[in-house]
Amino acid sequence: MRELTVGTIEAHLNLFIKKGELDINELVSKEKVGFLLKEVQASENFAVAPIKEKLGDTYSYREIKAVISYWQWMKDAGIEI
């Protein structure tokens, strides 16, 4: 109806993750979240492309972006892993 692109919908979902209003595990498996959190923390500036390049096709841009949003929520909420 509104002709939203997949990228727009993913951006909206990431905003809800970043606000703590959407459980990350609704979009990304727990196993992938755990691994990607370590990669996100190790990254210098949370840039998606270098993480994707390092990990290859095992992880999607969508999953990496969602975990970056989750990491930002955790930082804002004072949650440590």
Side-chain angles (χ1 to χ4, degrees):
M1 209 165 145
R2 290 180 55 200
E3 298 183 22
L4 299 175
T5 66
V6 171
T8 299
I9 294 167
E10 288 175 354
H12 290 164
L13 292 173
N14 287 336
L15 179 63
F16 290 123
I17 291 170
K18 189 174 177 180
K19 290 180 174 183
E21 297 175 7
L22 177 62
D23 183 349
I24 183 72
N25 297 121
E26 294 289 326
L27 301 176
V28 183
S29 72
K30 289 181 182 184
E31 295 80 18
K32 285 187 173 186
V33 170
F35 181 81
L36 286 171
L37 274 174
K38 293 174 187 170
E39 294 298 322
V40 168
Q41 288 178 302
S43 70
E44 292 184 20
N45 58 5
F46 305 117
V48 177
I51 296 171
K52 174 69 171 144
E53 185 176 312
K54 177 181 177 185
L55 300 178
D57 292 334
T58 305
Y59 299 90
S60 69
Y61 283 102
R62 177 190 57 81
E63 291 169 324
I64 296 167
K65 289 177 185 178
V67 171
I68 289 171
S69 294
Y70 181 60
W71 171 242
Q72 291 170 330
W73 170 76
M74 291 176 69
K75 283 179 45 181
D76 291 346
I79 299 171
E80 293 185 34
I81 54 170

